[in-house]
Amino acid sequence: MQDEIWFIKPWVWMDYRLAVLFAVSVPLGLLIWSLVRRSEAITRLLVIYWRVASLLMITVYLMIPAWPIAYVTGFIARILVPLALWFWVDINDEIEDMPGSRFKLWVTGWRWAMTIYCTLGALVSIPTLSCAFSQVAFQQEFCQVWREAPLLYKGWFHRNTDPGIVGFFGAVALVVYGVYLGYFLIIRLARQGRIAIEQ
């Protein structure tokens, strides 16, 4: 088992590094770029992305106090993010109609890269769902290795904060996220359909 963990650990850390690149750094840069260019559709897409992708950050906060639900939220986030990037008909049409430019290339490239990253990540993280539903599995090193990066994050940004308090904020954020997602699915989706920009 120990040999297996040493094999898995580099891949886990690579996953977190790729998340910082694809899920944080690039979309933040694109959001600033879209604001400068005053591209309403792309700005709207990125605002929607940040709302949906916030579940990834919530997952980090739930990992810190070792709450098993974090493995479920992380898996769900990897499914919701690609859906949010491609769901909107008006945004897809606008991106397709944009003249060729570095901005369009970056936006399109990032959407595909994030889609591939999340899809592969969701497939790879399927075995970690056992960490959420089995206390025996949760105690294994295979499950605990996923907590190393969140604990490092806590050391940087919440050094003197009790893990339970950090988890409480994550739980509150998860409830707010769930309410907003429910509102979208029940009310807004029925009213607007796949149109992202409110008229």
Side-chain angles (χ1 to χ4, degrees), residues 57-67 147 149-174:
M57 181 54 72
I58 292 171
T59 297
V60 170
Y61 276 75
L62 296 175
M63 279 278 186
I64 290 171
W67 291 353
R147 296 187 58 229
L151 290 174
L152 180 62
Y153 170 84
K154 178 189 179 297
W156 287 345
F157 297 102
H158 305 286
R159 181 181 299 275
N160 298 318
T161 307
D162 183 86
I165 299 296
V166 175
F168 171 77
F169 286 114
V172 170
L174 181 60

Short mmCIF file of all heavy atoms in Angstrom, two decimals, residues 57-67 147 149-174:
data_model
loop_
_atom_site.label_atom_id
_atom_site.label_comp_id
_atom_site.label_asym_id
_atom_site.label_seq_id
_atom_site.Cartn_x
_atom_site.Cartn_y
_atom_site.Cartn_z
N MET A 57 -13.25 25.51 -4.56
CA MET A 57 -12.69 26.13 -3.36
C MET A 57 -13.43 25.66 -2.11
O MET A 57 -12.81 25.43 -1.07
CB MET A 57 -12.76 27.65 -3.48
CG MET A 57 -12.17 28.38 -2.27
SD MET A 57 -10.48 27.88 -1.86
CE MET A 57 -9.56 28.62 -3.18
N ILE A 58 -14.74 25.50 -2.22
CA ILE A 58 -15.51 24.96 -1.10
C ILE A 58 -14.99 23.59 -0.72
O ILE A 58 -14.85 23.26 0.47
CB ILE A 58 -17.01 24.91 -1.45
CG1 ILE A 58 -17.57 26.33 -1.59
CG2 ILE A 58 -17.79 24.12 -0.41
CD1 ILE A 58 -18.97 26.39 -2.15
N THR A 59 -14.65 22.79 -1.73
CA THR A 59 -14.10 21.46 -1.49
C THR A 59 -12.81 21.53 -0.68
O THR A 59 -12.60 20.74 0.25
CB THR A 59 -13.85 20.73 -2.82
OG1 THR A 59 -15.09 20.56 -3.50
CG2 THR A 59 -13.19 19.38 -2.61
N VAL A 60 -11.95 22.49 -1.00
CA VAL A 60 -10.70 22.65 -0.25
C VAL A 60 -11.00 22.94 1.21
O VAL A 60 -10.38 22.36 2.12
CB VAL A 60 -9.85 23.78 -0.87
CG1 VAL A 60 -8.67 24.13 0.03
CG2 VAL A 60 -9.35 23.37 -2.25
N TYR A 61 -11.97 23.81 1.47
CA TYR A 61 -12.31 24.16 2.85
C TYR A 61 -12.94 22.99 3.60
O TYR A 61 -12.77 22.87 4.82
CB TYR A 61 -13.23 25.38 2.86
CG TYR A 61 -12.48 26.68 2.79
CD1 TYR A 61 -11.90 27.10 1.59
CD2 TYR A 61 -12.28 27.46 3.91
CE1 TYR A 61 -11.19 28.27 1.51
CE2 TYR A 61 -11.56 28.65 3.85
CZ TYR A 61 -11.02 29.05 2.64
OH TYR A 61 -10.28 30.21 2.56
N LEU A 62 -13.65 22.13 2.89
CA LEU A 62 -14.23 20.95 3.53
C LEU A 62 -13.19 19.86 3.75
O LEU A 62 -13.33 19.03 4.66
CB LEU A 62 -15.37 20.41 2.67
CG LEU A 62 -16.59 21.33 2.51
CD1 LEU A 62 -17.58 20.71 1.53
CD2 LEU A 62 -17.26 21.61 3.84
N MET A 63 -12.13 19.86 2.94
CA MET A 63 -11.04 18.90 3.11
C MET A 63 -10.23 19.18 4.37
O MET A 63 -9.72 18.25 5.01
CB MET A 63 -10.11 18.93 1.90
CG MET A 63 -10.57 18.17 0.69
SD MET A 63 -10.19 16.42 0.83
CE MET A 63 -10.69 15.86 -0.80
N ILE A 64 -10.10 20.45 4.72
CA ILE A 64 -9.22 20.83 5.83
C ILE A 64 -9.62 20.17 7.14
O ILE A 64 -8.76 19.61 7.84
CB ILE A 64 -9.15 22.37 5.93
CG1 ILE A 64 -8.36 22.93 4.74
CG2 ILE A 64 -8.50 22.80 7.26
CD1 ILE A 64 -8.40 24.43 4.60
N PRO A 65 -10.91 20.17 7.53
CA PRO A 65 -11.27 19.48 8.77
C PRO A 65 -11.55 17.99 8.59
O PRO A 65 -12.07 17.35 9.50
CB PRO A 65 -12.54 20.22 9.21
CG PRO A 65 -13.18 20.63 7.94
CD PRO A 65 -12.05 20.94 6.99
N ALA A 66 -11.23 17.46 7.41
CA ALA A 66 -11.39 16.03 7.13
C ALA A 66 -12.86 15.62 7.11
O ALA A 66 -13.24 14.62 7.70
CB ALA A 66 -10.61 15.18 8.14
N TRP A 67 -13.68 16.40 6.40
CA TRP A 67 -15.09 16.05 6.24
C TRP A 67 -15.24 15.26 4.93
O TRP A 67 -14.95 15.79 3.84
CB TRP A 67 -15.96 17.29 6.23
CG TRP A 67 -16.01 17.95 7.59
CD1 TRP A 67 -15.49 17.46 8.75
CD2 TRP A 67 -16.60 19.20 7.91
NE1 TRP A 67 -15.72 18.34 9.78
CE2 TRP A 67 -16.40 19.41 9.31
CE3 TRP A 67 -17.27 20.17 7.18
CZ2 TRP A 67 -16.85 20.54 9.96
CZ3 TRP A 67 -17.73 21.30 7.83
CH2 TRP A 67 -17.53 21.48 9.21
N ARG A 147 -5.72 15.31 1.13
CA ARG A 147 -5.85 16.41 2.09
C ARG A 147 -4.55 17.20 2.24
O ARG A 147 -4.56 18.26 2.85
CB ARG A 147 -6.28 15.88 3.45
CG ARG A 147 -7.66 15.23 3.46
CD ARG A 147 -8.07 14.88 4.89
NE ARG A 147 -8.06 16.07 5.72
CZ ARG A 147 -7.46 16.15 6.91
NH1 ARG A 147 -6.78 15.11 7.39
NH2 ARG A 147 -7.52 17.26 7.62
N ALA A 149 -2.58 18.98 0.16
CA ALA A 149 -2.56 20.33 -0.42
C ALA A 149 -3.51 21.28 0.31
O ALA A 149 -3.13 22.42 0.60
CB ALA A 149 -2.88 20.28 -1.92
N PRO A 150 -4.75 20.86 0.63
CA PRO A 150 -5.62 21.75 1.42
C PRO A 150 -5.01 22.12 2.78
O PRO A 150 -5.17 23.26 3.23
CB PRO A 150 -6.90 20.93 1.59
CG PRO A 150 -6.95 20.08 0.37
CD PRO A 150 -5.52 19.71 0.11
N LEU A 151 -4.32 21.19 3.42
CA LEU A 151 -3.68 21.50 4.70
C LEU A 151 -2.53 22.49 4.52
O LEU A 151 -2.30 23.35 5.38
CB LEU A 151 -3.21 20.22 5.38
CG LEU A 151 -4.32 19.31 5.91
CD1 LEU A 151 -3.75 18.00 6.44
CD2 LEU A 151 -5.14 20.01 6.98
N LEU A 152 -1.83 22.38 3.41
CA LEU A 152 -0.79 23.35 3.10
C LEU A 152 -1.41 24.73 2.87
O LEU A 152 -0.90 25.75 3.35
CB LEU A 152 0.00 22.92 1.87
CG LEU A 152 1.14 23.84 1.43
CD1 LEU A 152 2.20 23.94 2.51
CD2 LEU A 152 1.75 23.34 0.12
N TYR A 153 -2.53 24.74 2.16
CA TYR A 153 -3.27 26.00 1.95
C TYR A 153 -3.68 26.62 3.29
O TYR A 153 -3.55 27.83 3.49
CB TYR A 153 -4.50 25.71 1.09
CG TYR A 153 -5.47 26.86 0.99
CD1 TYR A 153 -5.29 27.88 0.05
CD2 TYR A 153 -6.57 26.94 1.85
CE1 TYR A 153 -6.18 28.94 -0.04
CE2 TYR A 153 -7.45 28.00 1.76
CZ TYR A 153 -7.25 28.99 0.83
OH TYR A 153 -8.13 30.04 0.75
N LYS A 154 -4.16 25.79 4.20
CA LYS A 154 -4.53 26.29 5.53
C LYS A 154 -3.32 26.89 6.23
O LYS A 154 -3.42 27.94 6.88
CB LYS A 154 -5.12 25.17 6.39
CG LYS A 154 -5.48 25.64 7.81
CD LYS A 154 -5.85 24.48 8.70
CE LYS A 154 -6.19 24.98 10.09
NZ LYS A 154 -5.05 25.62 10.78
N GLY A 155 -2.18 26.25 6.10
CA GLY A 155 -0.97 26.77 6.73
C GLY A 155 -0.58 28.13 6.20
O GLY A 155 -0.02 28.95 6.93
N TRP A 156 -0.87 28.39 4.93
CA TRP A 156 -0.55 29.68 4.32
C TRP A 156 -1.55 30.78 4.69
O TRP A 156 -1.18 31.90 4.99
CB TRP A 156 -0.50 29.56 2.80
CG TRP A 156 0.70 28.83 2.28
CD1 TRP A 156 1.85 28.54 2.96
CD2 TRP A 156 0.88 28.30 0.96
NE1 TRP A 156 2.73 27.85 2.16
CE2 TRP A 156 2.16 27.70 0.92
CE3 TRP A 156 0.09 28.27 -0.17
CZ2 TRP A 156 2.66 27.09 -0.23
CZ3 TRP A 156 0.59 27.66 -1.31
CH2 TRP A 156 1.86 27.07 -1.33
N PHE A 157 -2.84 30.44 4.64
CA PHE A 157 -3.88 31.48 4.73
C PHE A 157 -4.70 31.44 6.02
O PHE A 157 -5.36 32.43 6.35
CB PHE A 157 -4.82 31.37 3.53
CG PHE A 157 -4.16 31.61 2.21
CD1 PHE A 157 -3.82 30.55 1.39
CD2 PHE A 157 -3.84 32.89 1.80
CE1 PHE A 157 -3.19 30.76 0.17
CE2 PHE A 157 -3.21 33.12 0.59
CZ PHE A 157 -2.88 32.05 -0.24
N HIS A 158 -4.68 30.32 6.73
CA HIS A 158 -5.48 30.22 7.97
C HIS A 158 -4.65 29.53 9.06
O HIS A 158 -5.14 28.63 9.75
CB HIS A 158 -6.76 29.43 7.71
CG HIS A 158 -7.60 29.98 6.60
ND1 HIS A 158 -8.35 31.13 6.73
CD2 HIS A 158 -7.82 29.52 5.33
CE1 HIS A 158 -9.00 31.37 5.59
NE2 HIS A 158 -8.68 30.41 4.72
N ARG A 159 -3.43 29.99 9.21
CA ARG A 159 -2.47 29.29 10.06
C ARG A 159 -2.99 29.07 11.49
O ARG A 159 -2.85 27.99 12.05
CB ARG A 159 -1.16 30.09 10.12
CG ARG A 159 -0.07 29.43 10.96
CD ARG A 159 1.19 30.29 10.98
NE ARG A 159 1.74 30.47 9.65
CZ ARG A 159 2.56 29.62 9.06
NH1 ARG A 159 2.94 28.52 9.68
NH2 ARG A 159 3.03 29.86 7.85
N ASN A 160 -3.58 30.09 12.10
CA ASN A 160 -3.98 29.99 13.49
C ASN A 160 -5.47 29.75 13.68
O ASN A 160 -6.01 29.95 14.76
CB ASN A 160 -3.58 31.29 14.24
CG ASN A 160 -2.08 31.50 14.22
OD1 ASN A 160 -1.31 30.56 14.42
ND2 ASN A 160 -1.65 32.73 13.96
N THR A 161 -6.13 29.31 12.62
CA THR A 161 -7.56 29.06 12.68
C THR A 161 -7.84 27.58 12.89
O THR A 161 -7.21 26.73 12.27
CB THR A 161 -8.25 29.53 11.38
OG1 THR A 161 -7.89 30.89 11.12
CG2 THR A 161 -9.76 29.42 11.50
N ASP A 162 -8.78 27.29 13.78
CA ASP A 162 -9.15 25.91 14.05
C ASP A 162 -9.74 25.28 12.78
O ASP A 162 -10.56 25.92 12.10
CB ASP A 162 -10.19 25.87 15.18
CG ASP A 162 -10.56 24.45 15.54
OD1 ASP A 162 -9.85 23.85 16.36
OD2 ASP A 162 -11.56 23.94 14.99
N PRO A 163 -9.34 24.04 12.43
CA PRO A 163 -9.87 23.40 11.23
C PRO A 163 -11.39 23.33 11.20
O PRO A 163 -12.01 23.43 10.14
CB PRO A 163 -9.25 22.00 11.27
CG PRO A 163 -8.00 22.17 12.06
CD PRO A 163 -8.30 23.22 13.08
N GLY A 164 -12.00 23.17 12.37
CA GLY A 164 -13.46 23.13 12.43
C GLY A 164 -14.10 24.43 11.99
O GLY A 164 -15.16 24.44 11.34
N ILE A 165 -13.46 25.55 12.35
CA ILE A 165 -13.98 26.86 11.94
C ILE A 165 -13.87 27.01 10.43
O ILE A 165 -14.79 27.50 9.76
CB ILE A 165 -13.20 28.00 12.65
CG1 ILE A 165 -13.36 27.89 14.16
CG2 ILE A 165 -13.66 29.35 12.14
CD1 ILE A 165 -14.79 28.07 14.64
N VAL A 166 -12.73 26.60 9.89
CA VAL A 166 -12.53 26.65 8.44
C VAL A 166 -13.59 25.80 7.74
O VAL A 166 -14.21 26.21 6.75
CB VAL A 166 -11.12 26.18 8.06
CG1 VAL A 166 -10.96 26.13 6.54
CG2 VAL A 166 -10.06 27.09 8.67
N GLY A 167 -13.82 24.60 8.27
CA GLY A 167 -14.83 23.73 7.70
C GLY A 167 -16.23 24.31 7.81
O GLY A 167 -17.06 24.14 6.90
N PHE A 168 -16.51 25.03 8.91
CA PHE A 168 -17.81 25.67 9.08
C PHE A 168 -18.07 26.67 7.97
O PHE A 168 -19.16 26.69 7.38
CB PHE A 168 -17.88 26.37 10.45
CG PHE A 168 -19.10 27.23 10.61
CD1 PHE A 168 -20.34 26.65 10.86
CD2 PHE A 168 -19.01 28.60 10.49
CE1 PHE A 168 -21.47 27.45 11.02
CE2 PHE A 168 -20.13 29.40 10.63
CZ PHE A 168 -21.37 28.83 10.90
N PHE A 169 -17.06 27.48 7.65
CA PHE A 169 -17.22 28.43 6.55
C PHE A 169 -17.44 27.71 5.22
O PHE A 169 -18.22 28.14 4.38
CB PHE A 169 -16.02 29.37 6.46
CG PHE A 169 -16.01 30.42 7.54
CD1 PHE A 169 -15.02 30.43 8.50
CD2 PHE A 169 -17.00 31.38 7.60
CE1 PHE A 169 -15.01 31.38 9.50
CE2 PHE A 169 -17.01 32.35 8.58
CZ PHE A 169 -16.01 32.35 9.55
N GLY A 170 -16.74 26.58 5.06
CA GLY A 170 -16.95 25.78 3.86
C GLY A 170 -18.36 25.22 3.80
O GLY A 170 -18.99 25.20 2.74
N ALA A 171 -18.89 24.78 4.94
CA ALA A 171 -20.24 24.23 4.99
C ALA A 171 -21.28 25.30 4.68
O ALA A 171 -22.25 25.05 3.96
CB ALA A 171 -20.50 23.60 6.36
N VAL A 172 -21.09 26.50 5.25
CA VAL A 172 -22.02 27.60 4.97
C VAL A 172 -22.00 27.93 3.48
O VAL A 172 -23.05 28.12 2.85
CB VAL A 172 -21.65 28.85 5.81
CG1 VAL A 172 -22.46 30.06 5.35
CG2 VAL A 172 -21.90 28.58 7.29
N ALA A 173 -20.80 27.99 2.91
CA ALA A 173 -20.67 28.27 1.47
C ALA A 173 -21.35 27.19 0.65
O ALA A 173 -21.97 27.47 -0.37
CB ALA A 173 -19.20 28.40 1.09
N LEU A 174 -21.24 25.94 1.10
CA LEU A 174 -21.87 24.83 0.38
C LEU A 174 -23.39 24.96 0.40
O LEU A 174 -24.07 24.70 -0.60
CB LEU A 174 -21.44 23.49 0.98
CG LEU A 174 -22.02 22.24 0.32
CD1 LEU A 174 -21.60 22.16 -1.15
CD2 LEU A 174 -21.57 20.98 1.07
#
